[in-house]
Amino acid sequence: MKELFRLTLALFVVATCAGIAIGFVHSRTADKISYRERRAQRQALETVFPPQTTVTSVEGGASAPHLYWVGTKGNDTVGYAFETAAGGYAQEVRIVVGVTPEGTILGISILKQAETPGLGDRIEEIASSRYLWNALSPDTSSQEPWFCRQFEGLDATESIEIRKSAEYHALSRAEQESLKAENAVTAITGATITTRAVVRAASQSIPSYLKAVQGQSASEAHP
Amino acid sequence: MIKEEFRRGIITENPILVLALGLCPALAVSTGVKNGLGMGLAATFVLVSSNLIISIAKKWIPARVRIPCFIVVIATFVTIVELVMKAYLPELNKQLGIFVPLIVVNCIILGRAEAFASKHSIGRSVLDGIVMGLGFTFALTILSAIRELLGSNSLFGLKVFPGFEPMTIFILPPGGFLTIAFVMAAANYLGRKRKSSKS
């Protein structure tokens, strides 16, 4: 009986100390972490809208997503951006999708993912044109992840196909154009589940979001 | 003695190649040199810290509940490292972020806590953490360099040979098993040859 009490007490003390330590560190870092997350979100919005777009955030109503962004240039609405997510291989993949009012994707940006390094996490890979021996020369290739780039110009209101051909960055310009015409993207080798998750996040709820958002702004314009 | 310790961690008792500990994270993250090196260094940091704390606290922990206590210490430490990295080192967090939670289940950490830190002095436990961590990092770097070179024709994300068609299987799990088997066999062969030449 005494032994049982001693063991329980030891575990209790260890767990309490651990809890206090984590609580203390959490209270000291929570503000900083949420600030970093907001900044990442702002950067993501800059990538999904064309340059020089004014972005304003809108609190959605009951039918619209609870927070979304409207991009305007002068008096024209360039498009809307939504934060969406879909279950990937490890955790949910959270992305920002920018679409025109007609439903054409302006761009997507990965906000948060924890996919397998070397396979699924290549949705954020920036294709480099440099070789090991000219690593110090300036990189002329695009700084946007190739996987995200292939969504630009696709129609989010139709279903987006997945092709298991060579990866997008290895294709010729003409092949990239014909993929776009078919409303298709290339899968990442060995990471079909992650590819599917991004495709789902980029298209699944966009039509209903667009409908809700446009309904909301129409009712605001004519009260 | 320190030289001998380093030889033990990196060669004669290399955690992956000889003790076959921590194969799970080794297979999962050795797809690229950046990942392998990152995971190795992050694990080394946690290994040294948990060895330090456990060798200090070993007197007060009853033997029958030592494993749950070790796990709580390791998990606490990993969570703290993760929070601090997220808040103050965002660039490093982007590179290593997803490996850090994996460290909790890395059996090298628990293995060294149980087999070494709970029986030895503070100084020797910290040294053991350093050499074992370096051995882990060394093995991971070799594995990931082979896999990245053959599987995606690149090193540190930079292309290597023009016109070489990479063998994707080396990036996929089967390639991980193949690579680890060949590297282990080579390490064992070299180890045996040294032993027989000594005697």
Side-chain angles (χ1 to χ4, degrees), chain A residues 21-39:
Chain A
I22 291 178
F24 176 75
V25 175
H26 174 75
S27 71
R28 283 299 167 89
T29 52
D31 285 349
K32 200 101 189 173
I33 291 173
S34 75
Y35 165 75
R36 299 249 189 239
E37 278 171 2
R38 279 201 305 279
R39 204 168 64 174

Side-chain angles (χ1 to χ4, degrees), chain A residues 55-189:
Chain A
V55 182
T56 39
S57 64
V58 183
E59 300 271 350
S63 57
H66 102 127
L67 180 72
Y68 65 93
W69 297 269
V70 185
T72 48
K73 232 177 204 173
N75 286 326
D76 301 329
T77 303
V78 180
Y80 304 96
F82 308 102
E83 198 180 314
T84 59
Y89 191 73
Q91 276 175 25
E92 70 169 16
V93 178
R94 193 159 273 283
I95 68 172
V96 169
V97 193
V99 286
T100 65
E102 291 77 41
T104 306
I105 296 176
L106 288 166
I108 68 166
S109 180
I110 312 286
L111 266 188
K112 204 173 170 190
Q113 56 91 10
E115 303 297 291
T116 319
L119 295 171
D121 83 333
R122 292 182 54 220
I123 52 177
E124 291 193 279
E125 180 188 71
I126 291 162
S128 174
S129 58
R130 292 180 300 176
Y131 284 98
L132 200 57
W133 56 83
N134 56 9
L136 296 175
S137 68
D139 197 349
T140 51
S141 49
S142 165
Q143 287 303 299
E144 206 191 329
W146 62 267
F147 183 76
C148 296
R149 214 171 54 227
Q150 56 181 344
F151 284 84
E152 284 165 23
L154 298 188
D155 189 351
T157 58
E158 302 276 323
S159 75
I160 297 175
E161 307 284 322
I162 296 172
R163 294 267 183 282
K164 292 185 184 171
S165 57
E167 290 175 346
Y168 187 76
H169 58 93
L171 296 178
S172 69
R173 184 56 50 90
E175 285 169 317
Q176 292 179 349
E177 288 302 321
S178 81
L179 264 179
K180 193 153 285 179
E182 292 167 38
N183 216 36
V185 295
T186 59
I188 286 177
T189 309

Side-chain angles (χ1 to χ4, degrees), chain A residues 3 6-8 10-11 14-15 17-19 21-22 25-26 28-30 32-33 36-37 39 112-119 121 124 126 128-135 189-191, chain B residues 28-29 31-32 35 60-65 68-69 72-73 75-76 79-80 82-84 86-90 94 98-99 102 153 155-163 168 171-173:
Chain A
E3 173 73 359
R6 207 172 64 93
L7 296 182
T8 316
L11 275 177
V14 169
C17 292
I22 291 178
V25 175
H26 174 75
R28 283 299 167 89
T29 52
K32 200 101 189 173
I33 291 173
R36 299 249 189 239
E37 278 171 2
R39 204 168 64 174
K112 204 173 170 190
Q113 56 91 10
E115 303 297 291
T116 319
L119 295 171
D121 83 333
E124 291 193 279
I126 291 162
S128 174
S129 58
R130 292 180 300 176
Y131 284 98
L132 200 57
W133 56 83
N134 56 9
T189 309
Chain B
V29 303
T31 50
N35 296 336
W60 303 298
I61 296 176
R64 283 170 67 188
V65 290
C69 290
V72 170
V73 169
T76 308
T79 312
I80 289 174
E82 196 184 2
L83 287 174
V84 170
K86 260 190 192 158
Y88 297 103
L89 303 162
K94 225 179 161 182
I98 71 177
F99 305 128
L102 274 178
N153 185 22
L155 281 175
F156 289 99
L158 296 162
K159 290 195 244 177
V160 180
F161 304 112
T168 311
I171 290 294
L172 303 178

Side-chain angles (χ1 to χ4, degrees), chain A residues 63-65 82-84 205-214:
Chain A
S63 57
F82 308 102
E83 198 180 314
T84 59
S205 38
I206 299 301
S208 64
Y209 279 2
L210 267 179
K211 226 175 180 174
V213 163
Q214 281 161 343

Side-chain angles (χ1 to χ4, degrees), chain B residues 127-147:
Chain B
L127 186 64
D128 181 72
I130 294 172
V131 297
M132 281 292 155
L134 285 180
F136 182 60
T137 312
F138 172 72
L140 263 186
T141 309
I142 288 186
L143 286 175
S144 52
I146 295 174
R147 289 182 70 187

